[in-house]
C-alpha cells in the first residue's frame, strides 16, 4: 500500500501528525490554506494563547518537543476568580505545582511543530487550499491563494486536519453521509489584550488563568511569555443585553466593562480599538457518525469533533488523536484497518469531552457565588485527599491524567453523585459525613487503572 500520505491543514494537529508520520518513514505532503506563519507573521502579530495540559504535553513528549515547548510556556496553577467587587481568590487546579497547566502561544507552538515536521522530512505547501477530492481516483484538488490557480495532486490517502470548517469533510460528505450535526452554543467570543505594565512587568498575577465569571457571560485571561495577557470575552450573541448584538459602539463596550469588569477595565488601554478590530468568533459542538472513508480519507482534530473551549481541551484532544493514529498505523500501512479502529476507539472519547466541555461552562458560571456548588467542590477535594488514585476529581482526570475521556465522564458522574449525597442539606464542610462518603467510595469506585 501507499507510503504517500496527504494532510490537509498545517495547524496544530496537521503539523504534529506530519512530524509523527514522517518519522515513521512515510512520505508526508501537507497542504495549508494560509501562508507560512513563520514567514508571514502569525495573525497580524496578535498573541493568541491556549492552555496545554497533560494529554497535549504527552503528545509533545512522544514527538520529542516537550522541553522546547515548555521553554516558551507560562505555568498556571489555578483559576484566579475575580468577583464583581474586585476581590480575588485562587482556586488551585491540582494538589501542588506538579499539577498545573501551561499557557502557550498558538503561533509559536505552530512554528515549533512546523520546524519539527520539516526536519523529519515532511513537505509543506503553503497558500494551497484543499477544494475537493476524488477518492476513487486518489486525487486531491487544490487552489493557490495568491494566484487562484487550480491544481490536482496524487492523494491515495488523505487526512483532514483542516479544522472546524473542514473542506475534506465536505468532500467526504458528498460521497457518503457522515451524520454531521452542528450545535451552535449561541455565545461568541472576542479577544482583547492586557499589555505589560510601563515597567515591563505583568500587570496581574502571571501564574494563573484569570476568570471574571458573571453568570451568563465572563472574561478570562491567559498569560503570555512577553508579560502581556490575552483576554477573551464570552458573551451571548443576541437576546437580552449584555450580548454582542446590543454592543453597537465603543461607548457600549466601555459601559459594559465599567459596570461588570471594573477591575479589568484599567488594564485594557486598547479596549475599544481591539473590540472594533477583532471579529466575534463563533462557538459550537460538531458531532459526526463517520470520520473515515475506508482507507482513503480520515478526519481528526476539530475537523472531526469541534467542541466548545470551556475545558481547554480542543488542542489537547487533537494532539491525543495524532498519537493514537500514529500508534494504530504503526509500520503496517494498513490505512483501512487503522482508520476504522481509530474511529471506534476515539469517538466515545470525543463525545465525552464535548459533553464535559459544555458542562464546564456551567461550572464557570457557578463560580460566581453559588454556595452549594462551592461546598461540593470542598467535599470533592476532601474525598480526593482521602482516596488517592481512587477518587480523582473529574477535572484532574481530564487535565492531569490520560484517563480516557469517556471513563472520566462516567467516573465523574459517580463521584459527583457521592459528593451530592453526603453534602445535601449541609452548609459547612464540618457538617458533612465524610465517613459515609468513604463507604460509598469503597462500594462504588474501583481504583483508577491508567
Ligand atoms: P486548527 O488549529 O483550526 O487548524 C486547521 C488548519 O487547517 C489551519 O491552519 C487552517 O488554516 C487550515 N485549513 C483550513 N481549511 C483548509 C483547507 N481547505 N485547505 C488547507 N488548509 C486548510 N484548546 C486547548 O487545548 N486549550 C485551550 O485553552 C483552548 N482554548 C480555545 C479558545 C478558543 C476561543 C477557541 C475557539 C478554541 C480553543 N481551543 C483550545 C481549541 C483549539 O483551538 C482547537 O481544538 C485546535 O486548534 C484544533 O486543532 P486543529 O489542528 O484540529 O485545527
Ligand atoms: C482550563 C484551561 C478558553 C478556556 C481554556 C481553559 C479553561 C477555561 C475555563 C477556558 C477550564 C477551567 N479551563 O478553568 O476549569 O482548565 O483551559 Cl474558558
Amino acid at each position: 500500500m501507499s507510503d504517500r500520505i496527504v494532510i490537509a491543514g498545517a495547524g496544530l494537529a496537521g503539523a504534529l501528525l506530519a512530524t509523527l508520520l514522517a518519522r515513521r518513514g512515510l512520505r508526508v505532503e501537507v497542504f495549508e490554506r494560509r501562508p507560512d506563519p513563520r514567514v508571514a507573521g502569525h495573525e497580524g502579530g496578535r498573541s493568541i494563547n491556549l492552555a496545554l495540559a497533560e494529554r497535549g504535553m504527552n503528545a509533545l513528549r512522544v514527538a520529542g518537543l516537550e522541553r522546547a515547548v515548555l521553554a516558551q510556556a507560562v505555568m498556571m496553577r489555578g483559576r484566579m476568580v475575580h468577583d464583581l467587587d474586585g476581590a480575588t481568590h485562587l482556586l488551585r487546579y491540582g494538589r501542588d505545582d506538579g499539577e498545573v497547566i501551561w499557557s502557550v502561544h498558538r503561533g509559536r507552538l505552530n512554528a515549533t511543530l512546523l520546524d519539527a515536521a520539516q526536519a523529519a522530512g515532511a513537505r509543506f505547501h503553503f497558500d494551497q487550499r484543499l477544494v475537493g477530492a476524488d477518492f476513487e481516483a486518489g486525487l486531491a484538488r487544490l487552489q493557490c491563494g495568491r494566484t487562484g490557480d487550480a491544481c490536482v495532486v496524487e492523494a491515495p490517502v488523505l487526512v483532514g486536519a483542516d479544522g472546524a470548517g473542514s473542506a475534506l469533510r465536505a468532500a467526504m460528505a458528498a460521497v457518503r453521509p457522515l451524520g454531521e450535526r452542528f450545535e451552535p452554543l449561541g455565545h461568541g467570543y472576542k479577544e482583547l489584550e492586557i499589555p505589560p505594565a510601563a515597567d515591563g512587568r505583568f500587570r496581574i498575577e502571571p501564574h494563573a488563568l484569570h476568570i471574571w465569571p458573571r453568570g451568563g457571560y465572563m472574561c478570562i485571561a491567559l498569560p503570555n511569555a512577553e508579560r502581556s495577557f490575552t483576554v477573551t470575552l464570552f458573551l451571548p450573541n443576541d437576546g437580552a443585553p449584555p450580548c454582542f448584538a446590543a454592543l453597537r459602539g465603543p461607548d457600549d463596550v466601555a459601559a459594559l466593562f465599567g459596570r461588570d469588569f471594573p477591575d479589568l477595565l484599567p488594564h485594557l488601554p486598547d479596549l475599544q480599538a481591539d473590540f472594533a478590530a477583532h471579529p466575534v468568533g463563533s462557538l459550537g459542538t460538531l458531532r459526526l457518525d463517520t470520520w473515515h472513508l475506508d482507507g482513503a480519507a480520515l478526519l481528526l482534530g476539530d475537523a472531526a469533533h469541534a467542541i466548545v473551549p470551556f475545558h481547554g481541551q480542543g488542542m489537547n484532544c487533537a494532539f491525543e488523536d495524532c498519537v493514537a493514529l500514529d500508534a494504530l498505523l504503526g509500520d503496517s500501512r494498513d490505512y483501512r484497518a487503522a482508520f476504522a479502529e481509530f474511529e471506534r476507539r476515539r469517538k466515545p472519547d470525543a463525545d465525552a469531552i464535548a459533553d464535559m466541555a459544555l458542562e464546564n461552562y456551567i461550572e464557570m458560571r457557578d463560580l460566581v457565588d453559588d454556595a452549594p456548588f462551592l461546598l461540593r467542590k470542598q467535599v470533592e477535594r476532601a474525598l480526593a485527599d482521602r482516596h488517592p488514585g481512587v477518587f480523582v476529581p473529574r477535572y484532574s482526570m481530564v487535565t492531569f491524567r490520560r484517563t480516557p475521556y469517556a471513563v472520566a465522564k462516567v467516573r465523574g458522574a459517580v463521584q459527583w453523585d457521592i459528593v451530592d449525597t453526603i453534602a445535601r442539606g449541609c452548609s459547612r464542610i464540618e457538617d458533612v459525613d465524610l465517613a459515609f462518603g468513604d463507604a460509598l467510595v469503597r462500594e462504588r469506585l474501583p481504583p483508577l487503572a491508567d
Side-chain angles (χ1 to χ4, degrees):
M1 282 191 225
S2 174
D3 66 354
R4 173 181 165 94
I5 190 158
V6 172
I7 299 176
L12 298 175
L16 178 63
L17 185 68
T19 309
L20 298 175
L21 297 185
R23 290 210 183 138
R24 286 212 182 260
L26 289 171
R27 286 190 298 138
V28 181
E29 305 278 344
V30 189
F31 294 89
E32 164 60 46
R33 178 172 81 179
R34 292 187 289 194
D36 188 338
R38 296 164 299 179
V39 178
H42 209 77
E43 299 274 322
R46 268 216 276 160
S47 295
I48 305 295
N49 50 31
L50 299 136
L52 175 68
E54 169 57 21
R55 290 167 207 270
M57 198 66 90
N58 179 65
L60 295 169
R61 208 174 284 140
V62 169
L65 297 171
E66 180 181 27
R67 281 165 60 98
V69 173
L70 271 180
Q72 333 163 341
V74 184
M75 181 180 73
M76 299 186 288
R77 295 191 168 95
R79 301 175 187 145
M80 185 71 82
V81 179
H82 295 246
D83 295 339
L84 190 53
D85 65 8
T88 58
H89 14 215
L90 181 72
L91 299 173
R92 258 193 182 274
Y93 282 132
R95 281 171 306 205
D96 51 46
D97 281 1
E99 290 185 337
V100 297
I101 57 177
W102 301 88
S103 178
V104 292
H105 185 282
R106 183 191 286 270
R108 211 172 286 136
L109 173 60
N110 205 169
T112 301
L113 294 170
L114 292 172
D115 287 344
Q118 270 176 338
R123 292 175 42 179
F124 287 85
H125 310 271
F126 292 98
D127 267 316
Q128 295 287 335
R129 173 196 195 116
L130 181 80
V131 290
D134 180 339
F135 301 105
E136 299 256 300
L139 298 173
R141 280 191 291 119
L142 300 152
Q143 190 176 32
C144 178
R146 279 169 290 123
T147 61
D149 292 350
C151 69
V152 172
V153 300
E154 257 180 75
V157 182
L158 261 167
V159 176
D162 50 349
S166 173
L168 184 60
R169 191 175 71 230
M172 289 164 67
V175 173
R176 183 183 297 171
L178 304 179
E180 180 172 337
R181 281 101 60 207
F182 182 73
E183 186 191 313
L185 181 69
H187 296 223
Y189 68 93
K190 178 84 83 172
E191 283 150 342
L192 306 165
E193 198 207 4
I194 301 178
D199 63 3
R201 297 204 287 193
F202 285 102
R203 282 169 174 264
I204 55 177
E205 166 60 42
H207 295 298
L209 188 157
H210 294 263
I211 305 192
W212 291 259
R214 296 296 179 260
Y217 52 101
M218 66 175 177
C219 282
I220 64 164
L222 274 71
N224 295 309
E226 31 290 299
R227 302 194 167 82
S228 59
F229 292 81
T230 304
V231 174
T232 309
L233 166 67
F234 294 96
L235 196 65
N237 293 323
D238 38 43
C243 61
F244 281 114
L247 294 173
R248 290 170 204 285
D251 293 345
D252 293 343
V253 173
L256 171 68
F257 278 77
R259 190 192 67 192
D260 289 335
F261 308 106
D263 64 327
L264 175 56
L265 181 59
H267 298 310
L268 296 170
D270 300 323
L271 170 63
Q272 289 156 324
D274 282 351
F275 210 96
H278 304 163
V280 176
S282 61
L283 300 169
T285 305
L286 172 79
R287 289 186 166 91
L288 307 183
D289 293 333
T290 304
W291 288 351
H292 72 104
L293 281 187
D294 306 317
L298 175 73
L299 302 170
L300 51 64
D302 278 14
H305 47 69
I307 62 178
V308 296
F310 306 112
H311 218 308
Q313 285 290 316
M315 162 187 64
N316 285 283
C317 179
F319 281 180
E320 200 173 53
D321 281 354
C322 296
V323 172
L325 178 62
D326 177 53
L328 284 170
L329 267 175
D331 296 313
S332 78
R333 309 282 194 273
D334 187 348
Y335 301 103
R336 181 186 293 264
F339 290 180
E341 185 62 10
F342 177 83
E343 178 184 301
R344 195 186 69 76
R345 289 207 204 160
R346 289 297 289 166
K347 255 199 66 64
D349 291 327
D351 288 337
I353 189 57
D355 294 340
M356 292 190 287
L358 280 162
E359 287 170 20
N360 218 50
Y361 195 25
I362 312 289
E363 171 149 349
M364 299 295 102
R365 300 178 189 188
D366 289 347
L367 286 173
V368 188
D369 54 4
D370 185 332
F373 172 78
L374 295 173
L375 173 67
R376 279 160 179 71
K377 291 305 272 186
Q378 266 186 295
V379 173
E380 178 184 60
R381 171 60 43 207
L383 287 177
D385 290 343
R386 291 157 81 101
H387 303 276
V390 180
F391 188 114
V392 179
R394 188 175 91 174
Y395 180 89
S396 300
M397 287 190 279
V398 168
T399 307
F400 304 128
R401 304 177 73 130
R402 281 175 274 135
T403 311
Y405 288 124
V407 174
K409 189 183 170 206
V410 170
R411 291 183 68 105
V414 172
Q415 291 177 169
W416 200 246
D417 188 59
I418 293 172
V419 168
D420 189 60
T421 301
I422 63 173
R424 206 174 297 146
C426 303
S427 49
R428 302 176 314 150
I429 183 101
E430 293 76 19
D431 304 332
V432 175
D433 186 353
L434 289 172
F436 181 38
D438 294 340
L440 292 174
V441 168
R442 281 191 285 268
E443 184 187 311
R444 298 182 59 188
L445 281 175
L448 189 50
D450 66 279

